[in-house]
Amino acid sequence: MSSLSPAPSTAPTERAVREDLAAAYRLMALFGMTDLVYTHLSVRLPGREHAYLVNPFGFLFEEITASSLVVVDADGLPRQETSWPINPAGFVIHSAIHRSRPDAACVMHTHTLAGMVVAAQEQNILPLNQINMEFYGRVGFHPYEGIAADDNLSERERLVRDLGARNALILQNHGLLTVGATIAQAFYRMYYLEQSCRIQIAAQSTGVPLHTPSEAQILRARKQFEDDPDEGRLIWQALRRKLDREQPDYRD
């Protein structure tokens, strides 16, 4: 009677997830998508129920390392010993999405200038460039209800409703949010959602009439994006190599 070894696990280790998330924080800083010590990127830890990694409160994104990330529960409370504070109120939005979207292993939220400008407008992402067309009809819109706080449970329900099955959300008068099954996927979506916002406000600032392609052309371009199976993997590998050359301490 032969014995078979168990198949190797394909789930990433906690260490691998820590390094990926630390890399994402560094890249957010590198590309100017930070708000000092505010906003968060979070990821669900594989194999652990209601356990997530998030940045310690008070760190600049450029300071984050794999070991400085803190494990928190679904309420944003630490599940490990830490000498740094955690901002549970800042985790409210993340908590709501992680609880309701099993596929959303990673949640990214930003307060960028371009994102906040578009979030102050009445319309969603405009299909003014093929980058923007990837998001056509694919970005939710959540009306402003004040600063997100853990005492407003009903807003969590509405936020989840407004995101729905989408992977991107504009928080009116607030900022941007993306989700992904992986950190690489969520980062890819946030990077290009940010680029879409920058393109939009730059085009609007010219003061000349803007050209919008036909609905058929927009939908064709969107489908071309959706038919690409990569979803940021090659980009993520390239960006990790960049960090390994220029900021290798993110792995510490």
Side-chain angles (χ1 to χ4, degrees):
M1 181 176 177
S2 62
S3 60
L4 296 176
S5 299
S9 173
T10 58
T13 64
E14 178 173 331
R15 182 66 195 177
V17 173
R18 281 181 174 272
E19 290 186 3
D20 261 354
L21 190 60
Y25 275 105
R26 294 295 186 95
L27 291 165
M28 286 287 187
L30 185 65
F31 292 119
M33 295 191 284
T34 70
D35 183 11
L36 298 178
V37 301
Y38 301 103
T39 72
H40 303 277
L41 319 178
S42 65
V43 66
R44 181 186 298 111
L45 279 172
R48 297 179 61 174
E49 186 176 9
H50 304 306
Y52 311 92
L53 283 176
V54 70
N55 51 320
F57 191 43
F59 275 45
L60 296 172
F61 281 17
E62 67 195 47
E63 298 178 291
I64 298 296
T65 63
S67 60
S68 68
L69 295 164
V70 181
V71 182
V72 299
D73 63 19
D75 295 316
L77 300 175
R79 289 184 58 176
Q80 70 171 69
E81 289 188 10
T82 175
S83 57
W84 290 93
I86 300 298
N87 182 10
F91 194 67
V92 167
I93 292 172
H94 296 251
S95 173
I97 296 170
H98 281 304
R99 288 172 187 264
S100 63
R101 288 276 303 269
D103 63 310
C106 182
V107 179
M108 298 190 175
H109 172 46
T110 62
H111 297 163
T112 63
L113 179 59
M116 291 187 292
V117 169
V118 172
Q121 300 179 0
E122 290 292 341
Q123 72 275 341
N124 207 304
I125 300 295
L126 300 176
L128 300 174
N129 179 274
Q130 67 179 17
I131 289 176
N132 303 52
M133 293 175 203
E134 180 175 6
F135 296 98
Y136 183 70
R138 295 289 192 258
V139 181
F141 193 85
H142 178 64
Y144 187 67
E145 297 189 34
I147 296 175
D150 56 8
D151 61 349
N152 187 359
L153 297 180
S154 63
E155 184 183 4
R156 293 187 188 184
E157 297 173 0
R158 290 186 289 276
L159 189 147
V160 167
R161 176 201 65 198
D162 293 336
L163 177 63
R166 304 177 189 90
N167 296 312
L169 184 69
I170 293 175
L171 303 166
Q172 187 179 44
N173 305 112
H174 186 172
L176 306 177
L177 182 145
T178 61
V179 304
T182 63
I183 294 166
Q185 198 175 65
F187 182 87
Y188 168 86
R189 290 166 177 162
M190 179 58 78
Y191 179 86
Y192 282 108
L193 183 61
E194 170 71 13
Q195 293 304 305
S196 296
C197 291
R198 294 183 186 187
I199 291 167
Q200 183 162 317
I201 61 176
Q204 290 170 328
S205 71
T206 64
V208 301
L210 302 177
H211 175 260
T212 301
S214 69
E215 180 87 355
Q217 291 169 329
I218 296 168
L219 293 177
R220 180 175 182 271
R222 188 181 72 183
K223 187 175 187 306
Q224 289 172 316
F225 279 110
E226 292 173 344
D227 288 344
D228 180 1
D230 181 67
E231 292 190 299
R233 282 187 288 270
L234 286 176
I235 290 173
W236 186 250
Q237 292 166 10
L239 291 173
R240 285 288 300 264
R241 293 194 300 272
K242 178 179 178 64
L243 286 179
D244 286 338
R245 291 191 302 270
E246 299 175 5
Q247 301 181 40
D249 64 311
Y250 79 94
R251 292 179 179 269
D252 293 348

